[in-house]
């Protein structure tokens, strides 16, 4: 679980930064707004949270192989 969570958190951080770049490019958030902690919390909740949940699902362990005897 720790390995999966580490990779999911890395994905969430990258998505949060990418959302900040896109928000700055399209003018949804100004540079002054991105300098505040509240803006980063909002971006983490809107973009990072779903990315973290997706990462937990994406990086899950593969199912155990079925043995011939169990078939």
């Amino acid at each position: 679980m720790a390995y999966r969570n580490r990779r999911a958190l890395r994905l969430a951080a990258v998505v949060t930064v990418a959302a900040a770049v896109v928000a700055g490019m399209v003018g949804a958030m100004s540079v002054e707004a991105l300098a505040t902690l509240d803006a980063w919390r909002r971006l983490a909740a809107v973009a990072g949270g779903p990315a973290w949940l997706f990462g937990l699902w994406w990086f899950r362990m593969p199912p155990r192989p079925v043995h011939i005897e169990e078939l």
Side-chain angles (χ1 to χ4, degrees), residues 26-47:
V26 300
M29 298 183 101
S30 65
V31 175
E32 293 83 17
L34 287 173
T36 63
L37 184 60
D38 186 47
W40 285 98
R41 285 182 183 161
R42 189 177 312 124
L43 283 170
V46 171

Side-chain angles (χ1 to χ4, degrees), residues 1-55:
M1 176 69 176
Y3 174 73
R4 180 172 68 162
N5 192 27
R6 233 179 327 174
R7 292 182 76 181
L9 282 175
R10 193 173 300 139
L11 175 67
V14 168
V15 168
T16 302
V17 171
V21 169
V22 169
M25 287 176 60
V26 300
M29 298 183 101
S30 65
V31 175
E32 293 83 17
L34 287 173
T36 63
L37 184 60
D38 186 47
W40 285 98
R41 285 182 183 161
R42 189 177 312 124
L43 283 170
V46 171
W52 176 70
L53 290 173
F54 177 77

